[in-house]
């Protein structure tokens, strides 16, 4: 099985099309849906551009949930706090334009 990770900009529909259902009979007769991560679009990957290279490994599902509850959210900045906080920029068409990961540790908003 091979998943292709879309790169930004990407829409929720494009990411949904990239999912792959797979039945693993030893686990379940029902299909398990594998969701690819999303990578940012870095044209020239070099040692000097290493800080620009980033991937999402699960946070895209959180953004799915937010967009399901708030379908007219864009344009917006979605902040997913955590030890590896993600900042996802959406345009008016709900396309993921860009995101960045920051190692902030947990933070709270007062």
């Amino acid at each position: 099985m091979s998943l292709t990770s879309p790169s930004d900009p990407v829409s929720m529909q494009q990411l949904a099309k990239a999912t792959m259902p797979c039945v693993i009979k030893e686990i379940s007769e029902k299909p398990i849906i594998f969701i690819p991560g999303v990578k940012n679009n870095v044209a020239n990957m070099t040692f000097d551009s290493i800080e620009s290279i980033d991937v999402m490994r699960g946070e895209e599902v959180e953004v799915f949930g937010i967009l399901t509850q708030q379908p007219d959210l864009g344009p917006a900045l979605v902040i997913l706090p955590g030890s590896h906080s993600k900042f996802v920029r959406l345009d008016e068409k709900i396309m993921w334009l860009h995101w960045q990961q920051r190692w902030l540790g947990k933070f709270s908003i007062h």
Side-chain angles (χ1 to χ4, degrees):
M1 174 174 58
S2 176
L3 289 175
T4 301
S5 296
S7 60
D8 64 3
V10 64
S11 70
M12 189 166 74
Q13 292 77 16
Q14 289 169 317
L15 188 56
K17 286 179 184 177
T19 61
M20 180 179 287
C22 182
V23 175
I24 304 172
K25 292 182 182 179
E26 296 82 9
I27 298 174
S28 174
E29 293 293 323
K30 296 186 178 189
I32 297 169
I33 300 173
F34 290 89
I35 303 168
V38 178
K39 59 186 176 184
N40 61 353
N41 194 2
V42 177
N44 188 17
M45 289 194 226
T46 66
F47 184 77
D48 293 331
S49 68
I50 198 163
E51 290 184 10
S52 302
I53 301 167
D54 206 351
V55 296
M56 284 196 179
R57 300 172 315 271
E59 298 90 355
E60 63 279 352
V61 178
E62 293 179 55
V63 176
F64 272 167
I66 292 167
L67 293 176
T68 299
Q69 296 297 314
Q70 302 288 329
D72 299 322
L73 186 62
L77 177 66
V78 177
I79 301 171
L80 303 169
S83 59
H84 300 86
S85 297
K86 301 281 183 168
F87 297 81
V88 182
R89 190 166 48 114
L90 305 171
D91 70 6
E92 62 280 349
K93 297 175 188 170
I94 314 299
M95 291 286 287
W96 302 18
L97 296 177
H98 184 71
W99 75 91
Q100 289 187 325
Q101 171 177 257
R102 291 290 174 249
W103 295 47
L104 300 173
K106 299 276 183 185
F107 68 90
S108 60
I109 299 172
H110 300 281

